[in-house]
Amino acid sequence: QVQLAESGGGSVQAGGSLRLSCAASGPAFSKRAMGWFRQAPGKEREFVAAMTWISDRTYYADSVKGRFTVSRDNAKDTLHLQMNSLKPEDTAVYYCAASKIYYSGSYVSEVSYDYWGQGTQVTVSS
């Protein structure tokens, strides 16, 4: 069983930055794909970024490419999301997700992930 806990959310003005963290507890963090998703009010949850467990390959939604950076620290079982040049449309609850061990496949779909955190609120004002 894997438990995920996000932190680092908050309120920021447009153009500002935030760094989200996701602390994982449970086995084999380094062998799991990790992802970030977000859900804005009245909208469905959407993919933001992901990092594979092998080669640390990264994937980003077009809307955040060039502004957000996903990274992982396998020694600390932690996933990060550095968010720069934030826009009001980035306002959402951000969720961390973990796949099963040795997962390989699509990294942008919710169904690829078996474990989810409770989410952290990010609010960007104009």
Side-chain angles (χ1 to χ4, degrees):
Q1 188 74 6
V2 174
Q3 293 185 322
L4 304 171
E6 301 94 338
S7 62
S11 296
V12 65
Q13 290 192 325
S17 298
L18 284 174
R19 188 187 193 214
L20 305 185
S21 296
C22 172
S25 61
F29 173 82
S30 65
K31 299 297 188 289
R32 300 180 189 273
M34 299 295 298
W36 287 100
F37 288 75
R38 67 186 181 186
Q39 186 168 21
K43 294 187 177 181
E44 293 187 351
R45 190 156 56 184
E46 65 176 3
F47 169 76
V48 175
M51 179 171 269
T52 65
W53 65 272
I54 186 168
S55 301
D56 287 345
R57 187 169 181 176
T58 56
Y59 298 84
Y60 296 96
D62 288 342
S63 59
V64 307
K65 204 170 293 184
R67 300 188 297 123
F68 290 11
T69 302
V70 61
S71 62
R72 64 193 299 163
D73 184 343
N74 289 334
K76 297 182 178 179
D77 289 0
T78 303
L79 182 74
H80 299 288
L81 184 68
Q82 178 66 42
M83 305 186 296
N84 299 327
S85 302
L86 283 162
K87 304 175 180 180
E89 51 263 44
D90 294 319
T91 295
V93 177
Y94 283 71
Y95 298 91
C96 171
S99 75
K100 63 182 181 183
I101 297 173
Y102 300 133
Y103 173 79
S104 178
S106 169
Y107 297 98
V108 305
S109 173
E110 290 187 47
V111 299
S112 302
Y113 300 90
D114 293 322
Y115 306 97
W116 293 83
Q118 293 298 307
T120 185
Q121 176 70 47
V122 171
T123 302
V124 185
S125 58
S126 58

